[in-house]
Every structure is written in C-alpha cells, then in structure tokens.
Amino acid sequence: STSSKRKTTLLKQLLSSPQLAFLMEAHSGLSARIVEEAGFHGIWGSGLSISAQLGVRDSNEASWTQVLEVAEFMADATHIPILLDADTGFGNFNNARRLVRKLEDRGIAGCCIEDKCFPKTNSLLDGRQQPLADIQEFTLKIKACKDHQRDPDFCVVARVEAFIAGWGLQEALTRAEAYRNAGADAILIHSKKSDPSDIEAFMSQWGNKCPVMIVPTKYFKTPTEHFKELGISTVIWANHNLRASVSAMQNTCHQIMSEQSLVNIESKVASITEIFRLQQDHELRAAENLYLPKK
Amino acid sequence: STSSKRKTTLLKQLLSSPQLAFLMEAHSGLSARIVEEAGFHGIWGSGLSISAQLGVRDSNEASWTQVLEVAEFMADATHIPILLDADTGFGNFNNARRLVRKLEDRGIAGCCIEDKCFPKTNSLLDGRQQPLADIQEFTLKIKACKDHQRDPDFCVVARVEAFIAGWGLQEALTRAEAYRNAGADAILIHSKKSDPSDIEAFMSQWGNKCPVMIVPTKYFKTPTEHFKELGISTVIWANHNLRASVSAMQNTCHQIMSEQSLVNIESKVASITEIFRLQQDHELRAAENLYLPKK
Amino acid sequence: STSSKRKTTLLKQLLSSPQLAFLMEAHSGLSARIVEEAGFHGIWGSGLSISAQLGVRDSNEASWTQVLEVAEFMADATHIPILLDADTGFGNFNNARRLVRKLEDRGIAGCCIEDKCFPKTNSLLDGRQQPLADIQEFTLKIKACKDHQRDPDFCVVARVEAFIAGWGLQEALTRAEAYRNAGADAILIHSKKSDPSDIEAFMSQWGNKCPVMIVPTKYFKTPTEHFKELGISTVIWANHNLRASVSAMQNTCHQIMSEQSLVNIESKVASITEIFRLQQDHELRAAENLYLPKK
Amino acid sequence: STSSKRKTTLLKQLLSSPQLAFLMEAHSGLSARIVEEAGFHGIWGSGLSISAQLGVRDSNEASWTQVLEVAEFMADATHIPILLDADTGFGNFNNARRLVRKLEDRGIAGCCIEDKCFPKTNSLLDGRQQPLADIQEFTLKIKACKDHQRDPDFCVVARVEAFIAGWGLQEALTRAEAYRNAGADAILIHSKKSDPSDIEAFMSQWGNKCPVMIVPTKYFKTPTEHFKELGISTVIWANHNLRASVSAMQNTCHQIMSEQSLVNIESKVASITEIFRLQQDHELRAAENLYLPKK
Ligand SMILES: [Mg+2]
Ligand SMILES: [Mg+2]
Ligand SMILES: [Mg+2]
Ligand SMILES: [Mg+2]
C-alpha cells in the first residue's frame, strides 16, 4: 500500500518508474487537495502560480519563507507527494541546501532548482534576459543540496534553462550531464517553443541516463502519446488550476457586478457544503464529539 | 478624486453613504485584484474563504498573523478598501485592539468582529453550538478597538450573531444598540435563513441608528431592490470567488486527469499572458529599464 | 550514544529517569545554543522569556505561529531536546492538537500546556485573576494532544495551576490525576510561594504516579538537594538567561551612553570572533570551500 | 516636542544635524526598548546581531521577511527611529525597493544598503572574498529605493564597502559620490582596520557633501572626540548589546550548571518585576480595568 510510504519515496518512485507520470499544479492548500481528489499521484508547487496567487510577480518578490509557508499548507492538506518549484534555490548553494532541510521538515517530497540567477525571471516572459547560472556554480549547488538532505529519498530535480536562454542542444546536454553527475534525481528540460522540437532533440541524445521531466505549457498541442514515445518520465501540467480559477473569478465578479445579485450565480459555483467538505469539517465534528466537554 | 483619499476614509464613506454599496469577497492578492478590476468599490476579506484557500477550517486554525499576511498581500495588490473578517478578534479585547493596529499598518481599511467565542465556529455550519460572547465583554472589546485605532476613519464593524445562535429579535437589537454605543461604525446583522425575514424584522425596529451590513449567502434569492427598500447600507457577496474557483479547478483537474492532455483546456482558461498582466509585469519591465544597468 | 536518538526520546528519558534532571531556559536560537554548550541536557522554551524578547507581554500577544518560529530557530541551533512552554495550547483542544503536529515538524521534543484560559495571564503577576480551565475541558485537551501526536515519544506535560489560582492541595491532586489519566507524560506543579511548601504538600500525596516538574523561580533559595528528596523529576531554571541578558544590556547601554565610547566596553563583552563561533561560521567556511566555484 | 514628529523625520534630522549622533544596536523588541530607555536617540538594527540572535549566520540565511518581523517587533516596542541594516537589499533593485515600502509600513525610519552581492558576507570575517557590487547596478538600486519610498523623510543610507573589499580611497570616493548623486541620505563608510586611518583619508577628501556614518567596531579605541573633529555625522555602536548578552548568558549558564542552584544567581540578574515592567505590564493592567467586564 502506498499509504505507508513516505512522500519522498513516492515521488522518487514516480520519477523513476517506466510509466509516464503526471504532476498537476497547485498553489494553495485548497488547490492541492483538489488535485489529490482528482486522482493525480503528485503535485507541482508552481512558482508562477504561487506568486500570482499571492498577488506578486514570479521574480522572487515573495520571500523564500513565504513560499515555504504556502508549501506547508499544501503538504498539510494532502497525502500525495509535492515537488516544489524552488526557482534558483533562492540564493547560492547555502540558501539552497538550507531550503532542502526546511522542505523536509514540512513534508515536501522534492524541489526543482533551475540554472538561472537570483532573483529569477519567469521563463515564459518574452523579451527578457534569461542569464544562465555558471555551470560549475550550479552543479555545486545541486551537490550541496544532495549532500545536505537527511531523507535519502528527497528528490532534487535540476532544471535546464539552456533552450529558454537561447542556447542550443549541446549546452543543454552538457548541463544536464553535469547536474546528473552532481546527484540530481531528474532533469527538467524546459522549452518555450510551441512544438516539441527542443524536447525531441534533447531526448534523442540524452540516452535515458536519468529521468526527464517536461512542462508542455507552450507545446500543449503535442499528444501525450508522443511524450511516452520519447521516453519522458514525467509531464507537469504547470499552471492550469491557477488559470482556471482566474477565468472563473473574473466571470463571477463581472456577473455579480452587473447583475447586483446572486440569483444566477448560486448554481454555477461550488456549494457552501462542498467548501465545508473540502475543509474536512467532518473530521473536526467527530473530534469535537470526542474532545469537547458535553454540556 | 478618490485616489487621494485614504482607504479607511473610502470605506467609512462607503458604509455611511445613502446608496446601497457592495463588497465582493477575495481571499488572496490575486482574487483581490480581480475584484478591483471588476469595478467593485470594496473587498470583503472573508474568513471562510481565506481559511479554505489555506486548506484549513474556519475555526481559527490559521493563526491571526497568518491571516494578517494574507490580508497584507490583498492590500498590496489593490487600491480599494478592504474590510477584513476578523472573526472574534482572535482572543480578548487585548488581542483585538492589537490586531487593529496591525491592520492599520498593513493598509486594511476596517475589520468586522463577531460576538462569539474564540476559537470561532462558522455561522453556516449546521448542528453546531454557536455560543455568543457575553454582551458586556464584547461591547468593551469594540470599545477597546475604537479607542486604540490611530486613524480616525478605520472602521470597526460589529457583527451580531444573535439570529445565528438561535436567539430572537430582542437579543439582536439589544446587542446592536450596545455595540453601536461602544463606537461600532456599522452593524453586520447575520442570518442563515433562506428568506430575509430576520433582516426585515431587525430593520423594522433598528431605526437607521447606524449603517447595517448583510451577507445574503443563504437568502440569495432576495432581490437586491428589497435590500434598498429595507435601508441596508452594504451587501457582502461573501464567498463566491472562492466557490467559483473551486468549481473551475475541480472541473479542470478532472478533465486533465481523464484526457491526459491540455488540448481542450487551453481555450477555457486564462492565458499565461493574462496571468502576467494581472501580476503587473509591465510595471516591472518598465522599472527594469530604469534600474537595471544596460549591458 | 545519545546522538542517534530522537530528541523526543531523549526528553522522555530525561523526564522518566530516576535522576534529577535540569532544563535551562532559552528564548532564541542564540540562547538555546549557549544552553547546550554549557552542558545542559534539555531546554525550556519559556513563554515569558520568548514574549519578553519579542517585546510583547506574556499574554498571547505574539501569535502561536510567531512562537513556533522562535522555537524552530531554537531547535535548528541545537541538538538537545526542547520542551516548549505552550501556554494554554493557544485555544481549545483543536488548536492544541494542531500545535503538537507543528512542533513535531519543527523538531521540538515536547510541550507543556497549562490549565488556564486563553489568552493566558502570567502566573507570577500579582493581583491578577488566574481563572482555571474547566477540568474536563482541559483533560480532553491533553487527550487530544496525545491522540494526535505521530511520534510516540513526543512529550505532553500538563501544568497544574491550582496553587497559583488560589485553590488548595486537593484541587491540585484531582487535576494532576485527571491529566495523568488523559495521557500526560509529566505533571508540572507550579507555585509562586517563596518556600517549597506547596510542592512538599503535593509530593507527599502524589505517590510518584508520574514524573513531576517544578519551576523554583520564587522559591529559589530551596536547596536542590531537597527537590531530590521530594522525588522531583525535573527542575526548570525558567527565565534566568533572559534576566541575565537584560541586566547586561542595560548596564552596557548606560555605560556607552554616558562614556560615548567603547574603550571600556570591549573587554567586558564577548568578542566578535566568539559571535562568529557561536554562529558556526567554520561550518560555512568549510562548505564554501566545497561548494563555491574556485575563482 | 519630538513626540509629534514621524520617526523618519527624526532620523533624517539626526543624520543631518551638525551634532555628532549615536545609534545603539538592538536585535529584538526587548533590546530595542532597553536602548530607548538608556536615552539613545536612535537604534541600529544590526544584521549581524539579528542573525546571531536567531541562531543563524550573517549570510542571508534568515529570509528578508523574517528580518522584517524582527524589525517590526523592535519598532512596536519603541518611539525612537530605527535604521535597519538591510544588507545588500536582499536581491536586486526590485527586492530593495519593495523592502523600502514594507519598512515604511512597519514604522522603520530608514535602511542601510551595502554595495556587495547577495547573499552577503559579513565584513569583519577574515579570509573571505568580499566582492563588491557593480557600481552602476548599486547606484540604480539606491535610486530605485529613493524613487519608491512614499514618506519623503524615509532614509536610505548607502554603505561603501570599498575599504573592506581591499580597494583604496579612490574607489571609496567614487562610489560614495555616485550613491550620493543617486539620492542616498547618508554614506556609511566602513573599515575593519584597528585605527581610523581609512576614515580619516575618506573624510579629508569627502568635503562634507552629505552626512557620513561610521561603525568603529574594530577601531574602538579611537576617542569619540576625534570623530567630531573629522566631521562625522553619526557613530554606530553596532553589536555591543548582543555581545553583552552573550557573555551574561554564558556566565549564567555555567554558574547554574555547576552550582545546580539559583541561590547565587538571583541578585545578579534583573528581577521578574523588572521584566514585567519592560513588557509594560502596567499598560495592560490599566486596560484590563477598562475593557474587561467586572465580575
Ligand atoms: Mg517557476
Ligand atoms: Mg467569517
Ligand atoms: Mg510561561
Ligand atoms: Mg550587517
């Protein structure tokens, strides 16, 4: 049974399994619980979504402890493993290795660190410089994280931004290999093309040396079957809960604003009872029966 | 122009204006910004929604400083006033008056405090005890808050839970009058009936002594015109952004889970560009042009 | 070797050992490390000291998550177990049981919960009401904490305030027995007398049913040998690091203020090198050699 | 009377006054209050002391929001202005300008930003690289902070680390002039020599263009009269409260550990009553008389 395994072990197995796995984005305790209830086996704690939810930019405007607190609420609300998007590790190797320990304490199963510079720039922004980290500096950062974790199954994923930054296949492969040698549990190879050609090129040369993760936000039209054929380990649906909630809230706000009434809203939105259920009120009710004095 | 007024002043004017005003719920920086963009003049920082978003229960499971941090992100993301649902004030008069100062520091325009006991129980839960606070204790709590605020326009709304707790009209009126005398800027009269009869009864006797707010979550079918006729000051649409986002995320998760693809999702959700716009990336881009060295 | 044991196990053994044990107060990461270096086997995370250090009162003015963060810094800075003064549990049984889980996550070995009402009043304040919690309510709170902990060795100490609140021996014994039956790992029997007569009376009747802790802040003249004779398990030196630092800072401030010079200060205070040593700079230096690129 | 002036205005006047001013270090709400009571007109929120107190290193191991929270407790506990040691601004210009807004919200009067790289290295550590920030990048960071503040009197002090990093007088002067032109309210010129020769060299060339602050931790033997002659604006006694408290706690711990008794401790440390006084219990007592129901 999976329930007796640590979340770190579950994530490690999910990454290394021959079957294509999926991580669904969440950005709060509530969205994390919804992901789990939908049947996903893992959660992507998206930096873009978390920052957007907080109302700030995906540029390390929120402090790393503010992100940590969001992650903790997510872990507390769920039983499946969370891979946290940890940007660049929020500083140098020392900041990154300290983060790993704090994530372990909070029940986060792994973190993904990208080879750019602090403060980070979102990879999908057009017309921005995306300076890469020095390869040696980032390799040692990964090694510091791996050396510092206490749970052997905690996962450190190294995200290669070579394609994003305008470098070619060779740079991507060199970096991926260096990070793998430093102990990375998986490589996340990122691309902002609208077709999977970057990914295809990478996979054709990578030779399955360690698990590869992808984020098809821009090449969303590619059939998932193709990712299987390429030998991808894990696909991340990276920001769609956030985007779905934005549309829904915008529509709801506009309708209430214009109609000045809830009459046509009630049937479109989750009921109050459903909110209470998601908050697991039944557990509190049972506990109150046990632990509150009978009047 | 409203832009030169403090948020506290804007809220005070909104509450005391003869026109019916509306507050729309938000529970995060992002949802607050969406409320502002939709044209609302004020935001309700719902305790139910904030706790649900965090993944915990509306029973003071999140600490008051965790709620404060959510409120701060909301205030930073918006220019319209926020009335924060402050439950019972998170303790006694001393906790409540300290909260008021912290809310002032964070740019929150006012708080609503309800006459129940810490830790609170959500008013819409069925089959739960809803013990009311001692009337004198709560009256003095309101007075402590009013005496302690530094900005004369910071608003303290006293929420009367007499109907929720199963008491009748007389108890509601006695409490409302006591809280008004203690300095409350408005009375929120709460009801969980599916019709507005509690509200009607209260308003027929209240005599417009000070502004009255309502939360028609349960009596949502009542036409808004009727609230105007009753002389209500402000209607709170109390949890509908949260509920809209829950439905949207559940639907999105289920579809992605079953289709294992984003193909049919992309057109249904806000675009990545829209997320960047909501994060006000344009402001950062302009600032980078000013404040980053030219390479 | 103790180093392979969990901190919870170390605390449990310390409480249940036949030898008299000592806990020394700390209120920050720094003071906790100083306690460990002095050779103590355990740390008392004093609520009075933590609140005073923060600049607030011992009346639950700091939120429970702010206290939790102080405790986390203390645990991260040390290898010996910490017993956190958790006041009344910061609310009802639900707040208390949730706190236990968070303390486990942060590496805190146990918590002490006192049978008074939230927000708490410091026991040593004169002329204040010290209302006791309902005995059944508090007994169930202890039970909820014990039922909810995941680590079987996490310690929940029940603090009996019957003497503080002006009740007699019988009330103290009745409560101690109820709390022990609910699962408390130890009883802390508190007294504000300047002699140990309350403690003597209690111990003469208690019959060693479970470990008993004391806090001789007011009866500090009693020889420690007498506590051994009485069969006490653990003595808490509860606030003396804080009080020592207050005197030292007041004296230093006054001298610098009046002399407008550091000349006579340098030799009286710890050196900058000693501060770096306490911060364990040597570990960072070694890590930088390993994990920073050679320029 | 000073009491009606904003803390920012008080700090600005203190920096620009012809009289030599003094800032005394604090690292917590408690130490800040002690500084105020001793008669100092301003507080230095030392990064070294705050990090040491937390139990971490002065290398940006604590997040900027954790530092902010310490600063908030300090501001809440005092009426005199606080100049916060903000290291490098915790990232780039965007992190720094956002910090300024948050400091304004918390009642901090100004911040000092140093021209090194994130994460920072303490200037007094021997044998460490101390890479300076690019001069243009840092100049624009200062400008961003000044452009972003809302209170015109909020002070941004630019700390020149040229001497610390092994560069000479010319580099120090070039940087100081660039930062002054960018809007810095004062220059902090730092030196780790045991004599004031760096400071003398700088002041002989600087020509009093804007106020200059110094930190004579290493050249503590220099008579204060000499700083007046040099035309220094403000002297910072930068870490002596922390160092005094460390010695006091180490001595107290060792004595209690060896004597297993408080008998010889009580008279050496501040009384419990003095702790209650520092916590301003009298204010709460008076408030309880006003705001708690009479039983
Ligand atoms: Mg990201
Ligand atoms: Mg509510
Ligand atoms: Mg205590
Ligand atoms: Mg510093």
Side-chain angles (χ1 to χ4, degrees), chain C residues 181-250:
Chain C
N181 282 328
D185 296 284
I187 297 297
L188 190 161
I189 183 77
H190 204 14
S191 168
K192 62 196 299 182
K193 281 193 184 164
S194 57
D195 64 64
S197 53
D198 282 343
I199 308 301
E200 290 164 347
F202 182 85
M203 292 306 288
S204 72
Q205 300 293 316
W206 178 244
N208 208 14
K209 288 183 199 155
C210 77
V212 173
M213 312 182 75
I214 59 170
V215 184
T217 300
K218 287 289 189 181
Y219 47 100
F220 64 88
K221 290 180 184 161
T222 308
T224 298
E225 197 57 37
H226 188 49
F227 301 142
K228 289 186 190 169
E229 294 159 3
L230 291 173
I232 299 297
S233 154
T234 307
V235 172
I236 297 174
W237 315 117
N239 38 56
H240 301 79
N241 266 326
L242 181 88
R243 290 160 65 188
S245 72
V246 162
S247 297
M249 293 193 291
Q250 287 178 330

Side-chain angles (χ1 to χ4, degrees), chain C residues 44-49 51 58 85-87 112 114 120-123 159 161 190 238:
Chain C
W44 171 247
S46 157
L48 172 61
S49 295
S51 61
D58 190 17
D85 177 1
D87 296 347
C112 176
E114 66 198 48
K120 69 155 287 180
T121 299
N122 184 282
S123 305
R159 172 164 151 179
E161 292 275 295
H190 204 14

Side-chain angles (χ1 to χ4, degrees), chain C residues 128 224 243 260 270 288, chain D residues 128 224 243 260 270 280 288:
Chain C
R128 287 298 221 296
T224 298
R243 290 160 65 188
Q260 296 200 347
E288 287 175 351
Chain D
R128 287 298 221 295
T224 297
R243 290 161 65 190
Q260 297 200 347
Q280 305 191 334
E288 288 175 350

